[in-house]
Amino acid sequence: MTRLLIIGPPGAGKGTQAARICERLNVPAISTGDIFRANIKEQTELGKEAQRYTDAGNLVPDSVTNSMVRDRLAQDDVNNGFLLDGYPRTVAQVEELDSILEANGTHLDVVLLLTADNDELVKRLLGRAQDQGRTDDTEDVIRHRLDVYDQQTAPVVGVYEKRGIVTEVDGLGDIDQVTERIMAALAS
Ligand code: AMP
């Protein structure tokens, strides 16, 4: 089981846990949010386009995001598996990922759903705003990102639930505890 997706609302701890799981499983993490942030920092054309959306807490259009992921999944280091973090985030992106993986004769093995309640998410995201100064971590934008998750990304979980590949893990608690929960869930 080496082709994984970690999904959950903003602030659930996906990025932190993704890095740890990847180290244990020895597969690369592919975070669309990180790729966008790197491009924004470098002010590439892709970054300038993406920033208009990320700053407001909106999703970057599928046309931009899908081709970026298609390119990333064409690289050799994903041959033995990968952990996607933050993609797919819409049902249309699920269809795109299906077609990318089908063309390679593969499919997702497991979808890890990391959960936490809304108050905890807002608290964590406001804390991160202070620590990291992410421009999409202001309170209004945070609330908007949580709405975008409910409206556009929660249905993605429904699609994978129908396929029977979703494993839910409680994201509350300390970081090590959550990692152990995830590893136990993956082993079972
Ligand atoms: P994240 O770090 O995953 O929360 O992503 C930060 C921001 O990048 C999101 O709020 C979106 O604006 C953008 N983004 C990341 N992944 C996607 C995606 N799969 N589709 C569209 N926009 C995305």
Side-chain angles (χ1 to χ4, degrees):
M1 290 205 300
T2 53
R3 292 182 177 85
L4 315 175
L5 160 65
I6 188 165
I7 196 166
K14 297 185 299 291
T16 305
Q17 295 301 333
R20 294 168 153 235
I21 303 163
C22 284
E23 200 173 309
R24 302 249 192 132
L25 300 181
N26 198 23
V27 294
I30 301 177
S31 158
T32 43
D34 282 352
I35 301 174
F36 285 132
R37 279 185 288 278
N39 276 277
I40 290 168
K41 200 167 163 213
E42 300 293 323
Q43 284 291 294
T44 65
E45 286 309 309
L46 175 77
K48 286 182 205 163
E49 168 78 5
Q51 188 163 19
R52 295 164 39 206
Y53 302 94
T54 59
D55 274 357
N58 289 317
L59 296 184
V60 178
D62 284 351
S63 54
V64 177
T65 310
N66 284 337
S67 62
M68 185 175 91
V69 172
R70 192 173 272 280
D71 288 349
R72 180 64 187 87
L73 287 175
Q75 290 172 25
D76 288 342
D77 65 334
V78 303
N79 288 346
N80 294 321
F82 53 78
L83 173 61
L84 283 167
D85 163 13
Y87 182 96
R89 232 175 173 103
T90 64
V91 171
Q93 290 180 6
V94 173
E95 287 162 17
E96 178 73 10
L97 179 64
D98 283 344
S99 97
I100 297 172
L101 295 180
E102 266 163 37
N104 296 334
T106 61
H107 56 84
L108 280 185
D109 297 314
V110 171
V111 173
L112 270 171
L113 171 62
L114 200 59
T115 60
D117 70 45
N118 253 41
D119 288 347
E120 174 70 16
L121 295 172
V122 173
K123 201 174 92 189
R124 286 188 189 178
L125 289 165
L126 286 172
R128 187 171 76 184
Q130 284 188 333
D131 295 346
Q132 298 178 7
R134 264 176 63 165
T135 50
D136 60 351
D137 273 348
T138 64
E139 183 151 8
D140 282 351
V141 177
I142 286 169
R143 294 201 184 276
H144 181 60
R145 288 169 65 214
L146 290 169
D147 287 344
V148 169
Y149 178 83
D150 287 339
Q151 285 160 19
Q152 302 198 57
T153 308
V156 168
V157 178
V159 172
Y160 289 123
E161 261 162 1
K162 283 201 194 108
R163 297 183 193 177
I165 59 170
V166 175
T167 301
E168 188 170 331
V169 175
D170 183 358
L172 275 188
D174 78 38
I175 293 174
D176 290 335
Q177 236 174 19
V178 176
T179 307
E180 292 318 316
R181 259 179 231 149
I182 291 174
M183 295 314 294
L186 288 179
S188 66

